[in-house]
Amino acid sequence: MATRLDGRQLAAELEQRLQTVIAERLERAGRPPGLAVLRVGDDPASGVYVANKEKACTRIGVTNHGAHLPAATPPAEVLEAIQRLNADPMVDGILLQLPLPAGLDEAPLLAAIDPEKDADGLHTLNLGRLLKGEPGPRSCTPAGVMALLAHAGIELAGKRAVVVGRSILVGQPMALMLQAANATVSVAHSRTRDLSALTREADVLVVAAGRPRMVGAEHVKPGAVVVDVGIHRLDPDPAAGPGAKARLCGDVRYEEVEPIASAITPVPGGVGPMTVTLLLVNTVASWCRRCGLDEPLADLLP
Ligand code: NDP
C-alpha cells in the first residue's frame, strides 16, 4: 500500500511555521506582511479561490490588501491598480486572479507586476531566476509538490522523473525544480508517442495534463512515487440522489495506481492545499527580503 502524501496536513504544518516566522520578526519589521489578491469580474470559481486565499492570510497574520474590480474595468484602470500595489510599501505580494473577463489581455497585466512582489512566481524574470538557480519567488504548484516530496523524505538525486504536461503554470517549472534536485527529467506532452512506455520508466511521475483520470496502472512502474496535480469537478453521482455534491477527481485513476505506487497524492487533499500555502511562503519570503530580515524559508523555494 502506498504512502499517502497528505497535502492538507503538510499545509497546516507549514502555516504554523509561517505564523512563527511572522511573529518572531514582526517587531523588527515594524509591520505585518501584506498580500493583494486582485480580482476582476465575477468568475464564480475564482470567488471561491480568492476567499480561500484571503482566509489563509488571516489565519497566519498576513494583511489582505485585495481589491475586486468590476468586469467592465478598462485595461488601463486594471494596470493602474497593479501599479498602485507595486508602489504600496505595505504590500509584499500581488496576485492577479485568473481567468480575466473577455477583453482583458492577461499578458501585459501579469508582466506589470513588480517581480519582487510576484506572489505566484510566474513573472518572466522569476521563471528566468528558476532556470538559472537564483533565489526568488517560485511557481506555487510545483514548489508545493517539491515540499511534499521533501517532507516525505523522497530522495530525488539520480532518480528518473517524468512530468506529464509542459505548461508554464505547472509542467515547465516542475521539470526545472526536479532537475535542480538532480533528478533526470523527461517532459511529456500531447504529442508524446507511447506515453505509457515513457511514464513506466519514472521513479517519480508528476501528472499535470488536465485530463480527468487519464493515467492508470498501465502508466506506472511498481514502486514509483506518483503526484497528481490535476483537479476536475465531476457532476454529482446520480445514485447519491438530489442535493449530492459535485465530486473531484485528478488526472490519475487513484484506485488503480495506489496499490502499485510507493507513495501517491490524493485528489482532493494532495497538491491543491499546497498551492495556497506556497503563495503565502512567497509573500512572507518577500516581506523578509523587503524588510531587510533573514531568509528563513529558502528550503521551501527550490
Ligand atoms: P494546461 O492545459 O495548460 O497544460 C496541460 C499540459 O498537458 C499540456 O502541456 C498538454 O500538452 C499536456 N497534455 C494534454 N493532454 C495530454 C495527453 N493526452 N498526453 C500527454 N500530455 C498531455 O494545464 P495546466 O498545466 O494549467 O494544469 C494541469 C492540471 O493541473 C489541470 O487539471 C489543472 O486544473 C490542474 N492544476 C491544479 C493546481 C492545484 O493547485 N492542484 C494548480 C494548477 C493547475 P501540449 O502542451 O502538447 O498541449
mmCIF file of all heavy atoms in Angstrom, residues 55-103:
data_model
loop_
_atom_site.group_PDB
_atom_site.id
_atom_site.type_symbol
_atom_site.label_atom_id
_atom_site.label_comp_id
_atom_site.label_asym_id
_atom_site.label_seq_id
_atom_site.Cartn_x
_atom_site.Cartn_y
_atom_site.Cartn_z
ATOM 1 N N LYS A 55 -8.706 33.780 3.473
ATOM 2 C CA LYS A 55 -8.836 33.133 4.800
ATOM 3 C C LYS A 55 -7.471 32.648 5.282
ATOM 4 O O LYS A 55 -7.133 32.766 6.460
ATOM 5 C CB LYS A 55 -9.798 31.929 4.702
ATOM 6 C CG LYS A 55 -11.258 32.324 4.836
ATOM 7 C CD LYS A 55 -12.118 31.079 4.955
ATOM 8 C CE LYS A 55 -13.240 31.132 3.956
ATOM 9 N NZ LYS A 55 -13.796 29.851 3.566
ATOM 10 N N ALA A 56 -6.687 32.087 4.359
ATOM 11 C CA ALA A 56 -5.353 31.585 4.734
ATOM 12 C C ALA A 56 -4.481 32.736 5.232
ATOM 13 O O ALA A 56 -3.746 32.587 6.214
ATOM 14 C CB ALA A 56 -4.702 30.876 3.547
ATOM 15 N N CYS A 57 -4.583 33.910 4.579
ATOM 16 C CA CYS A 57 -3.825 35.094 5.024
ATOM 17 C C CYS A 57 -4.192 35.419 6.469
ATOM 18 O O CYS A 57 -3.320 35.631 7.320
ATOM 19 C CB CYS A 57 -4.176 36.310 4.169
ATOM 20 S SG CYS A 57 -3.401 36.303 2.564
ATOM 21 N N THR A 58 -5.484 35.477 6.737
ATOM 22 C CA THR A 58 -5.952 35.859 8.075
ATOM 23 C C THR A 58 -5.432 34.870 9.120
ATOM 24 O O THR A 58 -5.001 35.276 10.200
ATOM 25 C CB THR A 58 -7.507 35.870 8.093
ATOM 26 O OG1 THR A 58 -7.935 36.653 6.990
ATOM 27 C CG2 THR A 58 -8.063 36.434 9.378
ATOM 28 N N ARG A 59 -5.455 33.566 8.779
ATOM 29 C CA ARG A 59 -5.018 32.542 9.751
ATOM 30 C C ARG A 59 -3.583 32.757 10.202
ATOM 31 O O ARG A 59 -3.253 32.502 11.349
ATOM 32 C CB ARG A 59 -5.132 31.142 9.125
ATOM 33 C CG ARG A 59 -6.534 30.563 9.120
ATOM 34 C CD ARG A 59 -6.489 29.058 8.905
ATOM 35 N NE ARG A 59 -5.892 28.654 7.645
ATOM 36 C CZ ARG A 59 -6.534 28.514 6.492
ATOM 37 N NH1 ARG A 59 -7.824 28.738 6.451
ATOM 38 N NH2 ARG A 59 -5.897 28.145 5.392
ATOM 39 N N ILE A 60 -2.705 33.217 9.285
ATOM 40 C CA ILE A 60 -1.284 33.261 9.670
ATOM 41 C C ILE A 60 -0.788 34.671 9.987
ATOM 42 O O ILE A 60 0.366 34.840 10.348
ATOM 43 C CB ILE A 60 -0.373 32.621 8.601
ATOM 44 C CG1 ILE A 60 -0.369 33.423 7.296
ATOM 45 C CG2 ILE A 60 -0.741 31.172 8.345
ATOM 46 C CD1 ILE A 60 0.857 33.114 6.461
ATOM 47 N N GLY A 61 -1.635 35.687 9.829
ATOM 48 C CA GLY A 61 -1.191 37.046 10.185
ATOM 49 C C GLY A 61 -0.664 37.847 9.016
ATOM 50 O O GLY A 61 0.156 38.745 9.206
ATOM 51 N N VAL A 62 -1.122 37.524 7.802
ATOM 52 C CA VAL A 62 -0.786 38.332 6.629
ATOM 53 C C VAL A 62 -1.975 39.262 6.352
ATOM 54 O O VAL A 62 -3.119 38.800 6.303
ATOM 55 C CB VAL A 62 -0.515 37.437 5.394
ATOM 56 C CG1 VAL A 62 -0.408 38.269 4.115
ATOM 57 C CG2 VAL A 62 0.748 36.612 5.592
ATOM 58 N N THR A 63 -1.704 40.553 6.204
ATOM 59 C CA THR A 63 -2.795 41.507 5.934
ATOM 60 C C THR A 63 -3.221 41.389 4.474
ATOM 61 O O THR A 63 -2.377 41.281 3.585
ATOM 62 C CB THR A 63 -2.323 42.958 6.206
ATOM 63 O OG1 THR A 63 -1.802 42.996 7.519
ATOM 64 C CG2 THR A 63 -3.463 43.940 6.085
ATOM 65 N N ASN A 64 -4.536 41.410 4.275
ATOM 66 C CA ASN A 64 -5.068 41.261 2.929
ATOM 67 C C ASN A 64 -5.370 42.637 2.331
ATOM 68 O O ASN A 64 -6.175 43.383 2.875
ATOM 69 C CB ASN A 64 -6.320 40.380 3.042
ATOM 70 C CG ASN A 64 -7.136 40.383 1.797
ATOM 71 O OD1 ASN A 64 -6.610 40.554 0.703
ATOM 72 N ND2 ASN A 64 -8.440 40.244 1.961
ATOM 73 N N HIS A 65 -4.719 42.958 1.231
ATOM 74 C CA HIS A 65 -4.925 44.257 0.567
ATOM 75 C C HIS A 65 -5.703 44.077 -0.741
ATOM 76 O O HIS A 65 -5.530 44.850 -1.680
ATOM 77 C CB HIS A 65 -3.574 44.912 0.242
ATOM 78 C CG HIS A 65 -2.768 45.239 1.450
ATOM 79 N ND1 HIS A 65 -2.789 46.463 2.055
ATOM 80 C CD2 HIS A 65 -1.922 44.479 2.190
ATOM 81 C CE1 HIS A 65 -1.978 46.456 3.105
ATOM 82 N NE2 HIS A 65 -1.435 45.260 3.212
ATOM 83 N N GLY A 66 -6.498 43.042 -0.816
ATOM 84 C CA GLY A 66 -7.158 42.671 -2.074
ATOM 85 C C GLY A 66 -8.116 43.728 -2.582
ATOM 86 O O GLY A 66 -8.592 44.571 -1.828
ATOM 87 N N ALA A 67 -8.376 43.658 -3.882
ATOM 88 C CA ALA A 67 -9.363 44.546 -4.482
ATOM 89 C C ALA A 67 -10.176 43.736 -5.489
ATOM 90 O O ALA A 67 -9.652 42.792 -6.092
ATOM 91 C CB ALA A 67 -8.659 45.699 -5.184
ATOM 92 N N HIS A 68 -11.441 44.090 -5.635
ATOM 93 C CA HIS A 68 -12.332 43.422 -6.589
ATOM 94 C C HIS A 68 -12.873 44.477 -7.548
ATOM 95 O O HIS A 68 -13.646 45.344 -7.142
ATOM 96 C CB HIS A 68 -13.457 42.717 -5.810
ATOM 97 C CG HIS A 68 -14.304 41.851 -6.685
ATOM 98 N ND1 HIS A 68 -15.355 41.114 -6.205
ATOM 99 C CD2 HIS A 68 -14.252 41.592 -8.010
ATOM 100 C CE1 HIS A 68 -15.912 40.455 -7.207
ATOM 101 N NE2 HIS A 68 -15.264 40.726 -8.309
ATOM 102 N N LEU A 69 -12.440 44.402 -8.793
ATOM 103 C CA LEU A 69 -12.865 45.400 -9.788
ATOM 104 C C LEU A 69 -13.989 44.817 -10.645
ATOM 105 O O LEU A 69 -14.013 43.606 -10.896
ATOM 106 C CB LEU A 69 -11.679 45.786 -10.682
ATOM 107 C CG LEU A 69 -10.421 46.305 -9.974
ATOM 108 C CD1 LEU A 69 -9.308 46.561 -10.993
ATOM 109 C CD2 LEU A 69 -10.727 47.579 -9.209
ATOM 110 N N PRO A 70 -14.902 45.687 -11.133
ATOM 111 C CA PRO A 70 -15.986 45.191 -11.992
ATOM 112 C C PRO A 70 -15.457 44.624 -13.315
ATOM 113 O O PRO A 70 -14.385 45.036 -13.782
ATOM 114 C CB PRO A 70 -16.844 46.429 -12.257
ATOM 115 C CG PRO A 70 -16.294 47.530 -11.438
ATOM 116 C CD PRO A 70 -14.968 47.126 -10.877
ATOM 117 N N ALA A 71 -16.232 43.703 -13.902
ATOM 118 C CA ALA A 71 -15.808 43.026 -15.142
ATOM 119 C C ALA A 71 -15.531 44.024 -16.268
ATOM 120 O O ALA A 71 -14.687 43.779 -17.127
ATOM 121 C CB ALA A 71 -16.871 42.028 -15.568
ATOM 122 N N ALA A 72 -16.235 45.168 -16.258
ATOM 123 C CA ALA A 72 -16.100 46.125 -17.366
ATOM 124 C C ALA A 72 -14.934 47.097 -17.169
ATOM 125 O O ALA A 72 -14.799 48.055 -17.941
ATOM 126 C CB ALA A 72 -17.410 46.915 -17.508
ATOM 127 N N THR A 73 -14.106 46.885 -16.155
ATOM 128 C CA THR A 73 -12.979 47.804 -15.914
ATOM 129 C C THR A 73 -12.056 47.843 -17.137
ATOM 130 O O THR A 73 -11.610 46.785 -17.611
ATOM 131 C CB THR A 73 -12.157 47.341 -14.678
ATOM 132 O OG1 THR A 73 -13.045 47.114 -13.597
ATOM 133 C CG2 THR A 73 -11.121 48.385 -14.280
ATOM 134 N N PRO A 74 -11.739 49.052 -17.656
ATOM 135 C CA PRO A 74 -10.841 49.123 -18.822
ATOM 136 C C PRO A 74 -9.428 48.665 -18.437
ATOM 137 O O PRO A 74 -9.016 48.837 -17.285
ATOM 138 C CB PRO A 74 -10.835 50.614 -19.191
ATOM 139 C CG PRO A 74 -11.888 51.266 -18.364
ATOM 140 C CD PRO A 74 -12.228 50.371 -17.226
ATOM 141 N N PRO A 75 -8.682 48.117 -19.424
ATOM 142 C CA PRO A 75 -7.335 47.608 -19.147
ATOM 143 C C PRO A 75 -6.448 48.642 -18.435
ATOM 144 O O PRO A 75 -5.699 48.300 -17.525
ATOM 145 C CB PRO A 75 -6.777 47.288 -20.538
ATOM 146 C CG PRO A 75 -7.970 47.106 -21.413
ATOM 147 C CD PRO A 75 -9.091 47.894 -20.819
ATOM 148 N N ALA A 76 -6.568 49.926 -18.837
ATOM 149 C CA ALA A 76 -5.694 50.956 -18.237
ATOM 150 C C ALA A 76 -5.949 51.085 -16.734
ATOM 151 O O ALA A 76 -5.028 51.348 -15.954
ATOM 152 C CB ALA A 76 -5.916 52.294 -18.940
ATOM 153 N N GLU A 77 -7.210 50.871 -16.326
ATOM 154 C CA GLU A 77 -7.514 51.003 -14.889
ATOM 155 C C GLU A 77 -7.010 49.795 -14.104
ATOM 156 O O GLU A 77 -6.593 49.919 -12.952
ATOM 157 C CB GLU A 77 -9.022 51.169 -14.681
ATOM 158 C CG GLU A 77 -9.456 52.597 -14.869
ATOM 159 C CD GLU A 77 -10.949 52.796 -14.657
ATOM 160 O OE1 GLU A 77 -11.534 52.133 -13.763
ATOM 161 O OE2 GLU A 77 -11.524 53.588 -15.421
ATOM 162 N N VAL A 78 -7.057 48.605 -14.724
ATOM 163 C CA VAL A 78 -6.501 47.421 -14.045
ATOM 164 C C VAL A 78 -4.994 47.621 -13.885
ATOM 165 O O VAL A 78 -4.422 47.359 -12.820
ATOM 166 C CB VAL A 78 -6.801 46.121 -14.832
ATOM 167 C CG1 VAL A 78 -6.261 44.912 -14.076
ATOM 168 C CG2 VAL A 78 -8.297 45.964 -15.080
ATOM 169 N N LEU A 79 -4.374 48.134 -14.950
ATOM 170 C CA LEU A 79 -2.933 48.405 -14.916
ATOM 171 C C LEU A 79 -2.601 49.396 -13.798
ATOM 172 O O LEU A 79 -1.646 49.203 -13.039
ATOM 173 C CB LEU A 79 -2.486 48.951 -16.274
ATOM 174 C CG LEU A 79 -0.992 49.104 -16.481
ATOM 175 C CD1 LEU A 79 -0.302 47.750 -16.391
ATOM 176 C CD2 LEU A 79 -0.712 49.728 -17.851
ATOM 177 N N GLU A 80 -3.422 50.429 -13.687
ATOM 178 C CA GLU A 80 -3.209 51.435 -12.619
ATOM 179 C C GLU A 80 -3.305 50.786 -11.246
ATOM 180 O O GLU A 80 -2.520 51.100 -10.344
ATOM 181 C CB GLU A 80 -4.287 52.510 -12.715
ATOM 182 C CG GLU A 80 -3.818 53.805 -13.326
ATOM 183 C CD GLU A 80 -5.002 54.743 -13.499
ATOM 184 O OE1 GLU A 80 -5.747 54.972 -12.527
ATOM 185 O OE2 GLU A 80 -5.190 55.211 -14.633
ATOM 186 N N ALA A 81 -4.294 49.895 -11.090
ATOM 187 C CA ALA A 81 -4.453 49.215 -9.788
ATOM 188 C C ALA A 81 -3.185 48.425 -9.467
ATOM 189 O O ALA A 81 -2.701 48.425 -8.322
ATOM 190 C CB ALA A 81 -5.680 48.299 -9.819
ATOM 191 N N ILE A 82 -2.626 47.751 -10.480
ATOM 192 C CA ILE A 82 -1.393 46.971 -10.259
ATOM 193 C C ILE A 82 -0.245 47.914 -9.896
ATOM 194 O O ILE A 82 0.525 47.645 -8.959
ATOM 195 C CB ILE A 82 -1.059 46.132 -11.515
ATOM 196 C CG1 ILE A 82 -2.103 45.028 -11.680
ATOM 197 C CG2 ILE A 82 0.350 45.536 -11.422
ATOM 198 C CD1 ILE A 82 -1.976 44.242 -12.972
ATOM 199 N N GLN A 83 -0.172 49.033 -10.596
ATOM 200 C CA GLN A 83 0.930 49.977 -10.325
ATOM 201 C C GLN A 83 0.827 50.573 -8.919
ATOM 202 O O GLN A 83 1.839 50.778 -8.250
ATOM 203 C CB GLN A 83 0.964 51.069 -11.400
ATOM 204 C CG GLN A 83 1.535 50.518 -12.701
ATOM 205 C CD GLN A 83 1.227 51.365 -13.916
ATOM 206 O OE1 GLN A 83 0.345 52.222 -13.885
ATOM 207 N NE2 GLN A 83 1.935 51.120 -15.009
ATOM 208 N N ARG A 84 -0.419 50.797 -8.483
ATOM 209 C CA ARG A 84 -0.611 51.308 -7.104
ATOM 210 C C ARG A 84 -0.103 50.286 -6.092
ATOM 211 O O ARG A 84 0.565 50.628 -5.125
ATOM 212 C CB ARG A 84 -2.099 51.588 -6.852
ATOM 213 C CG ARG A 84 -2.482 53.053 -7.011
ATOM 214 C CD ARG A 84 -3.823 53.365 -6.351
ATOM 215 N NE ARG A 84 -4.885 52.429 -6.706
ATOM 216 C CZ ARG A 84 -5.621 52.526 -7.822
ATOM 217 N NH1 ARG A 84 -5.402 53.487 -8.689
ATOM 218 N NH2 ARG A 84 -6.569 51.644 -8.062
ATOM 219 N N LEU A 85 -0.430 49.008 -6.344
ATOM 220 C CA LEU A 85 0.016 47.947 -5.417
ATOM 221 C C LEU A 85 1.538 47.801 -5.472
ATOM 222 O O LEU A 85 2.186 47.568 -4.446
ATOM 223 C CB LEU A 85 -0.677 46.624 -5.747
ATOM 224 C CG LEU A 85 -2.191 46.617 -5.529
ATOM 225 C CD1 LEU A 85 -2.832 45.368 -6.149
ATOM 226 C CD2 LEU A 85 -2.521 46.691 -4.041
ATOM 227 N N ASN A 86 2.118 47.925 -6.670
ATOM 228 C CA ASN A 86 3.588 47.876 -6.799
ATOM 229 C C ASN A 86 4.233 48.935 -5.905
ATOM 230 O O ASN A 86 5.269 48.696 -5.280
ATOM 231 C CB ASN A 86 4.019 48.154 -8.243
ATOM 232 C CG ASN A 86 3.826 46.956 -9.159
ATOM 233 O OD1 ASN A 86 3.644 45.839 -8.692
ATOM 234 N ND2 ASN A 86 3.872 47.191 -10.461
ATOM 235 N N ALA A 87 3.591 50.133 -5.866
ATOM 236 C CA ALA A 87 4.188 51.267 -5.143
ATOM 237 C C ALA A 87 3.846 51.247 -3.650
ATOM 238 O O ALA A 87 4.453 51.982 -2.876
ATOM 239 C CB ALA A 87 3.694 52.574 -5.767
ATOM 240 N N ASP A 88 2.895 50.423 -3.241
ATOM 241 C CA ASP A 88 2.432 50.429 -1.849
ATOM 242 C C ASP A 88 3.437 49.704 -0.954
ATOM 243 O O ASP A 88 3.644 48.491 -1.088
ATOM 244 C CB ASP A 88 1.053 49.737 -1.780
ATOM 245 C CG ASP A 88 0.422 49.848 -0.400
ATOM 246 O OD1 ASP A 88 1.170 50.067 0.582
ATOM 247 O OD2 ASP A 88 -0.802 49.700 -0.300
ATOM 248 N N PRO A 89 4.080 50.419 -0.008
ATOM 249 C CA PRO A 89 5.119 49.785 0.816
ATOM 250 C C PRO A 89 4.565 48.688 1.737
ATOM 251 O O PRO A 89 5.342 47.871 2.229
ATOM 252 C CB PRO A 89 5.687 50.952 1.632
ATOM 253 C CG PRO A 89 4.679 52.036 1.568
ATOM 254 C CD PRO A 89 3.890 51.848 0.308
ATOM 255 N N MET A 90 3.259 48.673 1.976
ATOM 256 C CA MET A 90 2.668 47.649 2.872
ATOM 257 C C MET A 90 2.398 46.332 2.144
ATOM 258 O O MET A 90 2.026 45.340 2.752
ATOM 259 C CB MET A 90 1.342 48.161 3.461
ATOM 260 C CG MET A 90 1.463 49.436 4.246
ATOM 261 S SD MET A 90 2.445 49.188 5.733
ATOM 262 C CE MET A 90 1.186 48.504 6.814
ATOM 263 N N VAL A 91 2.535 46.326 0.826
ATOM 264 C CA VAL A 91 2.191 45.134 0.026
ATOM 265 C C VAL A 91 3.478 44.405 -0.376
ATOM 266 O O VAL A 91 4.350 44.981 -1.017
ATOM 267 C CB VAL A 91 1.388 45.546 -1.233
ATOM 268 C CG1 VAL A 91 1.188 44.368 -2.179
ATOM 269 C CG2 VAL A 91 0.046 46.140 -0.826
ATOM 270 N N ASP A 92 3.565 43.122 0.018
ATOM 271 C CA ASP A 92 4.747 42.307 -0.318
ATOM 272 C C ASP A 92 4.471 41.321 -1.446
ATOM 273 O O ASP A 92 5.403 40.817 -2.073
ATOM 274 C CB ASP A 92 5.200 41.516 0.918
ATOM 275 C CG ASP A 92 5.499 42.435 2.073
ATOM 276 O OD1 ASP A 92 6.500 43.161 1.994
ATOM 277 O OD2 ASP A 92 4.706 42.474 3.049
ATOM 278 N N GLY A 93 3.193 40.988 -1.642
ATOM 279 C CA GLY A 93 2.839 40.017 -2.672
ATOM 280 C C GLY A 93 1.617 40.481 -3.434
ATOM 281 O O GLY A 93 0.682 41.034 -2.840
ATOM 282 N N ILE A 94 1.638 40.308 -4.753
ATOM 283 C CA ILE A 94 0.488 40.679 -5.601
ATOM 284 C C ILE A 94 0.125 39.464 -6.445
ATOM 285 O O ILE A 94 1.010 38.791 -6.998
ATOM 286 C CB ILE A 94 0.832 41.853 -6.544
ATOM 287 C CG1 ILE A 94 1.317 43.067 -5.744
ATOM 288 C CG2 ILE A 94 -0.366 42.218 -7.414
ATOM 289 C CD1 ILE A 94 1.889 44.189 -6.607
ATOM 290 N N LEU A 95 -1.159 39.200 -6.515
ATOM 291 C CA LEU A 95 -1.629 38.085 -7.328
ATOM 292 C C LEU A 95 -2.802 38.567 -8.160
ATOM 293 O O LEU A 95 -3.766 39.105 -7.615
ATOM 294 C CB LEU A 95 -2.091 36.959 -6.386
ATOM 295 C CG LEU A 95 -2.915 35.866 -7.012
ATOM 296 C CD1 LEU A 95 -2.004 34.950 -7.797
ATOM 297 C CD2 LEU A 95 -3.618 35.063 -5.950
ATOM 298 N N LEU A 96 -2.710 38.408 -9.464
ATOM 299 C CA LEU A 96 -3.837 38.731 -10.341
ATOM 300 C C LEU A 96 -4.592 37.423 -10.579
ATOM 301 O O LEU A 96 -4.048 36.489 -11.183
ATOM 302 C CB LEU A 96 -3.314 39.314 -11.661
ATOM 303 C CG LEU A 96 -4.368 39.700 -12.685
ATOM 304 C CD1 LEU A 96 -5.278 40.813 -12.151
ATOM 305 C CD2 LEU A 96 -3.720 40.141 -13.993
ATOM 306 N N GLN A 97 -5.812 37.341 -10.055
ATOM 307 C CA GLN A 97 -6.564 36.089 -10.159
ATOM 308 C C GLN A 97 -7.031 35.869 -11.601
ATOM 309 O O GLN A 97 -7.659 36.737 -12.191
ATOM 310 C CB GLN A 97 -7.768 36.136 -9.201
ATOM 311 C CG GLN A 97 -8.577 34.860 -9.155
ATOM 312 C CD GLN A 97 -7.819 33.698 -8.523
ATOM 313 O OE1 GLN A 97 -7.133 33.851 -7.526
ATOM 314 N NE2 GLN A 97 -7.931 32.508 -9.118
ATOM 315 N N LEU A 98 -6.720 34.704 -12.145
ATOM 316 C CA LEU A 98 -7.150 34.349 -13.500
ATOM 317 C C LEU A 98 -8.305 33.356 -13.405
ATOM 318 O O LEU A 98 -8.425 32.660 -12.403
ATOM 319 C CB LEU A 98 -5.977 33.730 -14.264
ATOM 320 C CG LEU A 98 -4.725 34.619 -14.383
ATOM 321 C CD1 LEU A 98 -3.626 33.874 -15.119
ATOM 322 C CD2 LEU A 98 -5.033 35.946 -15.072
ATOM 323 N N PRO A 99 -9.181 33.240 -14.396
ATOM 324 C CA PRO A 99 -9.165 33.963 -15.665
ATOM 325 C C PRO A 99 -9.712 35.379 -15.534
ATOM 326 O O PRO A 99 -10.524 35.659 -14.649
ATOM 327 C CB PRO A 99 -10.108 33.104 -16.536
ATOM 328 C CG PRO A 99 -11.094 32.514 -15.567
ATOM 329 C CD PRO A 99 -10.318 32.282 -14.301
ATOM 330 N N LEU A 100 -9.266 36.248 -16.467
ATOM 331 C CA LEU A 100 -9.790 37.609 -16.529
ATOM 332 C C LEU A 100 -11.010 37.625 -17.448
ATOM 333 O O LEU A 100 -11.145 36.748 -18.309
ATOM 334 C CB LEU A 100 -8.717 38.537 -17.091
ATOM 335 C CG LEU A 100 -7.459 38.697 -16.234
ATOM 336 C CD1 LEU A 100 -6.419 39.534 -16.977
ATOM 337 C CD2 LEU A 100 -7.790 39.328 -14.897
ATOM 338 N N PRO A 101 -11.887 38.620 -17.290
ATOM 339 C CA PRO A 101 -13.041 38.719 -18.193
ATOM 340 C C PRO A 101 -12.572 38.920 -19.641
ATOM 341 O O PRO A 101 -11.480 39.450 -19.863
ATOM 342 C CB PRO A 101 -13.782 39.958 -17.698
ATOM 343 C CG PRO A 101 -13.202 40.314 -16.384
ATOM 344 C CD PRO A 101 -11.855 39.703 -16.290
ATOM 345 N N ALA A 102 -13.435 38.510 -20.593
ATOM 346 C CA ALA A 102 -13.111 38.704 -22.016
ATOM 347 C C ALA A 102 -12.802 40.183 -22.247
ATOM 348 O O ALA A 102 -13.435 41.047 -21.650
ATOM 349 C CB ALA A 102 -14.311 38.276 -22.858
ATOM 350 N N GLY A 103 -11.810 40.462 -23.075
ATOM 351 C CA GLY A 103 -11.477 41.859 -23.372
ATOM 352 C C GLY A 103 -10.263 42.333 -22.596
ATOM 353 O O GLY A 103 -9.706 43.380 -22.891
#
